[in-house]
Amino acid sequence: MKTNTILWVIFFSCIFTANSSLLFSEVADFILFNGKIITVDAQDNIYEAIAIKNGIILRVGSNQEILKFDGAGCKRIDLHGKTVTPGLVDSHFHLMYWGQQFWPGYLNIRHPAVTSKADLLNLIKEYVKKLKPGEWISGNQGFTLKMNETLDRWDLDKVCPDNPAYLRHCSGQYSVVNSKALEIAKIDKNTPNPHSSRIVKDSTGEPTGILMHYPAENLVGQFAPGYGELSEEEERESIDRGQKLCFEAGYTSVQDVIVGNFNDILLYKKFADSSILKVRLYALLYINNEEQANNVAQAYKPINTGRFTFGGWKLAMDGGLAARTILMYNKKLFASSQSYPYFEQDELNRIVKILHNTGLQVAIHVCGDEGIDMSINAFEQAMQANPRPDPRHRIEHGLFPSLNAMQRFQKNKIILSTQPQWITWYGDSYSQMTDSSTMRRLLPLKTMLNMGIPLAFGCDVPASTYQEPKWAFFGATIRKSAQTPTIFNPEERLTIQEALRIHTMGSAYASFSEKTTGSLEPGKFADLVIWSHDLYTMAPCEAIELNAELTMVNGEIVYTDGKNVVTSVDNDHTILSPDIRLYHYISPNPFSKATSINYQLQTAGRVKIDIFNSLGKKITTLIDEWQEAGNHSCEFGVRNYELSAGMYYYRIQVGERTESGRLLLIK
Ligand SMILES: [Zn+2]
């Protein structure tokens, strides 16, 4: 008995010693210090510094607490007071398709290239001069028109009679094609409407060239360059372009809410597995009809690799305001004058039930009040028939909910995933296309937040003009039009703290990833952004100048504008406490011809920099002079000395302080 007790004591003290020595000797991979770390944790704590190890947040705290984790091999960034937040999570994105918009084979018709019908027709007129008859005019997504302007096949025929043209509206809710394109797709008076779509026809039954919603658009799109099947290489390029744009904007996780087929889901996974996909991606498979819902329900299981998640299903119930296809009870509104439900209620109920029963998430694109109610009806009946603990079904966009609808969001814990930038950019045209009582219900974000409805933000490019999250912040916190002085329902403004929390934790929650992303807390993925401005103290109107300066996913820098310098110290030769450390870095290192030693002086002082070989023999003194405070740099070029490849040392002395480190010469 006694021996056992002793063994246990020894055992426990071993654990304790091992743990405590680990705590005090652990070296981080990366440290960001001397800044304002907005954690978005439950208490909204703000710290000075953060330490990262193996892609995971090790600790947040004061400079003193975090610099203990500095050491050999640790990279560090002195933030000089700058603000860091969790990487933003975008709840409504189209990753591959956004990257594809910049494919050189498209005619670029996006804003600002085209803002009116005249712009578009002039652009095509010039473009067609370079084409041979029969060659396609395939536009990216897409054009915008002025209010009350319409476009049809006969408008296009005037500028491109001999070349088929496929042009998508920027909203992605409709396309316009010319007569040549209709001919190629064999669409005429007798062609029936595909499910949930319309081939718009004039009073004589002749197709006008306007194709409403994806299935009708695809009748022509399948022939247009850039819209049919892409090669794996082309898809890889699109994903790469798309994720670069995400990182520049400050998104570290995005949710691709329209993946057209399961092959693309598998392709995303493959690219995630081979580290081509660096942005964290959550994907929903688009479901066109009941038959497809039945098929997928049998076949597919969730996927979650940490980098890529296949999370469920996406449906659409109505279109958009520009297409006049939002499903409102008031059909007299211009915005709903062409509207029709993409599914009848019974059919929608059946489909949602099938998809809900897979155990995965269901998201429905819907803007109008009638469509929102129909979607909630379907969620409610599926959830009642088969209660699941935490289904987190979602409404995408949800522009004009009634009070009753909001109460049902609340009761059923349905997520609203939406785009506040639409208030800024489209609020004026929404006003013109609806009426004042409808506009009073435009995205009542504060009311919904106060009701405890889970909210998530996304930019929805390419359907939106801009991808930067600053427009979500501006739209949500100011609710002002970009074009006029109008402020839409100022009582629904959020604070920047609320908007940031929605764009991080809220959107993470919408993809079941709030335990691993969305805030800067120990144990979570090290996904973060250094910003040009302090989000919490900038004037609201300054939001439009906000830029991501550096973006990190999993502790890896995936984007930098170069303003934040990464340094590192080799602990072999640096025995200094953090408070007297001289900040410096060597670049490049290793080097072959020359390298520069960059350093920062907090105050003016005498600076001496020496270079030694591996035996400690001095090779040269690079600098020995009085220098002003500020950033300095001095070059060490090898051509003046006969040096062989290998390890060298530098030593910087500033007054009493000394820094030293290794230089690796390679030939
Ligand atoms: Zn979208």
Side-chain angles (χ1 to χ4, degrees):
M1 242 356 237
K2 210 172 181 183
T3 328
N4 268 346
T5 315
I6 292 167
L7 281 176
W8 276 114
V9 170
I10 293 170
F11 180 67
F12 275 116
S13 55
C14 284
I15 293 179
F16 181 74
T17 318
N19 269 339
S20 50
S21 67
L22 190 76
L23 276 177
F24 296 110
S25 67
E26 194 161 11
V27 174
D29 296 335
F30 224 118
I31 283 174
L32 288 82
F33 65 101
N34 204 17
K36 178 173 179 179
I37 315 287
I38 297 177
T39 59
V40 195
D41 66 8
Q43 292 78 36
D44 212 13
N45 282 312
I46 294 172
Y47 295 104
E48 287 176 312
I50 183 168
I52 294 160
K53 176 111 182 167
N54 297 327
I56 302 290
I57 298 166
L58 190 63
R59 194 75 67 87
V60 282
S62 66
N63 287 337
Q64 215 186 359
E65 286 167 316
I66 296 304
L67 284 166
K68 282 181 194 151
F69 296 99
D70 197 359
C74 177
K75 296 191 186 97
R76 61 191 192 191
I77 294 176
D78 180 347
L79 293 163
H80 298 287
K82 275 185 191 149
T83 297
V84 172
T85 70
L88 295 193
V89 183
D90 187 297
S91 68
H92 192 118
F93 209 86
H94 304 281
L95 182 67
M96 196 189 302
Y97 188 53
W98 176 228
Q100 202 189 318
Q101 297 308 309
F102 305 90
W103 178 60
Y106 285 134
L107 173 62
N108 177 27
I109 56 172
R110 275 181 73 76
H111 178 98
V114 172
T115 60
S116 67
K117 182 171 175 174
D119 285 349
L120 181 63
L121 296 179
N122 284 333
L123 193 71
I124 294 173
K125 210 167 167 179
E126 288 306 307
Y127 184 67
V128 84
K129 287 179 187 164
K130 293 179 243 162
L131 301 179
K132 296 190 196 85
E135 281 184 323
W136 274 91
I137 300 161
S138 187
N140 56 2
Q141 182 181 319
F143 64 88
T144 43
L145 300 176
K146 289 202 179 347
M147 263 289 289
N148 295 323
E149 281 185 339
T150 56
L151 182 74
D152 60 30
R153 68 191 272 194
W154 298 288
D155 294 319
L156 295 177
D157 287 351
K158 281 180 204 144
V159 290
C160 54
D162 304 317
N163 298 76
Y166 180 66
L167 304 163
R168 294 199 81 194
H169 184 262
C170 79
S171 66
Q173 297 303 323
Y174 75 100
S175 296
V176 183
V177 305
N178 65 355
S179 300
K180 260 275 171 306
L182 288 171
E183 206 179 290
I184 288 167
K186 300 193 173 67
I187 295 174
D188 61 23
K189 279 185 165 189
N190 304 316
T191 312
N193 289 325
H195 186 278
S196 72
S197 288
R198 296 256 163 105
I199 299 165
V200 179
K201 291 171 184 161
D202 69 7
S203 54
T204 69
E206 201 56 51
T208 62
I210 300 169
L211 305 169
M212 293 285 189
H213 195 42
Y214 320 136
E217 295 177 89
N218 289 342
L219 294 176
V220 176
Q222 61 181 317
F223 301 104
Y227 285 95
E229 289 262 303
L230 299 176
S231 70
E232 190 172 310
E233 181 56 20
E234 286 170 323
E235 295 192 319
R236 197 189 60 76
E237 282 171 15
S238 292
I239 290 170
D240 211 43
R241 275 196 294 263
Q243 71 177 352
K244 279 200 180 104
L245 291 164
C246 290
F247 298 147
E248 273 176 46
Y251 302 118
T252 54
S253 300
V254 296
Q255 297 163 33
D256 192 329
V257 294
I258 302 186
V259 179
N261 59 69
F262 207 76
N263 284 340
D264 285 349
I265 297 273
L266 296 176
L267 195 72
Y268 272 148
K269 182 179 179 294
K270 180 174 158 185
F271 290 156
D273 291 344
S274 54
S275 299
I276 291 167
L277 185 75
K278 290 187 185 295
V279 70
R280 272 180 230 291
L281 182 69
Y282 179 88
L284 300 176
L285 185 69
Y286 191 78
I287 302 297
N288 288 289
N289 53 46
E290 190 173 352
E291 188 193 350
Q292 195 194 350
N294 267 316
N295 291 339
V296 298
Q298 313 298 326
Y300 303 118
K301 298 244 154 21
I303 300 170
N304 186 350
T305 72
R307 201 61 74 117
F308 173 73
T309 307
F310 164 58
W313 322 104
K314 168 82 180 296
L315 297 163
M317 191 55 208
D318 70 358
L321 280 97
R324 289 174 272 156
T325 51
I326 65 164
L327 193 62
M328 299 291 288
Y329 288 109
N330 182 358
K331 302 288 184 293
K332 291 200 190 95
L333 297 174
F334 189 66
S336 59
S337 55
Q338 309 265 3
S339 71
Y340 60 96
Y342 288 2
F343 300 100
E344 294 306 328
Q345 184 75 66
D346 282 352
E347 190 185 13
L348 182 69
N349 290 354
R350 289 196 303 275
I351 295 175
V352 169
K353 198 178 234 171
I354 295 164
L355 299 176
H356 169 84
N357 288 345
T358 62
L360 299 185
Q361 186 179 50
V362 183
I364 305 182
H365 164 120
V366 60
C367 296
D369 51 13
E370 186 181 3
I372 292 172
D373 288 352
M374 291 175 73
S375 302
I376 299 176
N377 292 343
F379 285 144
E380 264 181 359
Q381 62 83 39
M383 286 157 69
Q384 272 159 20
N386 174 17
R388 277 173 44 196
D390 191 15
R392 302 192 196 181
H393 296 321
R394 338 183 344 175
I395 297 279
E396 303 298 312
H397 316 306
L399 296 181
F400 300 107
S402 65
L403 180 60
N404 179 258
M406 289 192 268
Q407 286 160 349
R408 295 170 75 203
F409 268 93
Q410 182 190 38
K411 185 171 142 247
N412 296 296
K413 300 190 174 71
I414 295 167
I415 296 164
L416 175 69
S417 155
T418 197
Q419 291 69 45
Q421 70 158 298
W422 292 4
I423 302 170
T424 304
W425 291 103
Y426 309 138
D428 289 327
S429 66
Y430 290 177
S431 291
Q432 290 163 28
M433 300 175 95
T434 62
D435 59 15
S436 58
S437 75
T438 307
M439 285 304 285
R440 274 198 292 277
R441 290 189 276 128
L442 174 65
L443 290 179
L445 298 173
K446 188 77 167 189
T447 303
M448 295 182 87
L449 186 71
N450 289 343
M451 290 171 75
I453 296 166
L455 300 175
F457 288 162
C459 67
D460 194 12
V461 282
S464 300
T465 314
Y466 299 101
Q467 65 156 358
E468 295 84 1
K470 64 187 175 187
W471 296 113
F473 295 142
F474 188 84
T477 62
I478 305 190
R479 296 183 69 100
K480 188 191 155 299
S481 158
Q483 300 91 3
T484 67
T486 314
I487 294 176
F488 303 97
N489 308 335
E491 67 283 3
E492 295 294 348
R493 286 171 175 165
L494 301 178
T495 64
I496 183 69
Q497 284 83 356
E498 290 165 339
L500 177 65
R501 181 170 294 273
I502 294 169
H503 220 328
T504 50
M505 285 302 284
S507 297
Y509 176 87
S511 61
F512 295 88
S513 56
E514 76 279 7
K515 291 200 173 73
T516 53
T517 62
S519 65
L520 299 176
E521 296 177 81
K524 283 193 159 186
F525 290 129
D527 298 353
L528 56 82
V529 181
I530 304 176
W531 296 100
S532 59
H533 291 63
D534 178 350
L535 277 74
Y536 282 5
T537 59
M538 67 184 175
C541 56
E542 269 185 299
I544 57 174
E545 287 158 17
L546 182 70
N547 281 313
E549 290 190 348
L550 182 143
T551 306
M552 193 181 261
V553 177
N554 229 50
E556 180 190 348
I557 295 172
V558 289
Y559 167 74
T560 173
D561 67 0
K563 291 201 183 82
N564 296 277
V565 177
V566 180
T567 65
S568 77
V569 158
D570 197 303
N571 257 20
D572 293 349
H573 291 265
T574 307
I575 313 145
L576 283 173
S577 65
D579 52 325
I580 59 158
R581 181 161 282 161
L582 173 77
Y583 300 115
H584 72 284
Y585 69 99
I586 314 296
S587 175
N589 191 17
F591 69 106
S592 60
K593 291 194 176 71
T595 186
S596 65
I597 299 165
N598 307 279
Y599 52 98
Q600 190 185 55
L601 303 181
Q602 302 294 333
T603 55
R606 185 161 193 96
V607 179
K608 186 162 185 255
I609 301 178
D610 297 309
I611 305 292
F612 302 89
N613 71 13
S614 59
L615 301 170
K617 184 172 175 284
K618 187 155 98 182
I619 292 166
T620 183
T621 297
L622 292 174
I623 279 184
D624 188 2
E625 63 184 31
W626 184 267
Q627 291 188 327
E628 294 299 321
N631 294 320
H632 298 270
S633 151
C634 93
E635 187 170 272
F636 172 45
V638 297
R639 76 189 146 82
N640 302 328
Y641 320 98
E642 274 184 35
L643 300 179
S644 49
M647 192 66 77
Y648 294 84
Y649 295 95
Y650 64 90
R651 186 177 68 200
I652 312 176
Q653 282 176 274
V654 182
E656 300 288 282
R657 304 172 190 180
T658 303
E659 288 277 335
S660 55
R662 286 192 288 210
L663 299 170
L664 183 60
L665 175 62
I666 49 175
K667 293 233 165 153

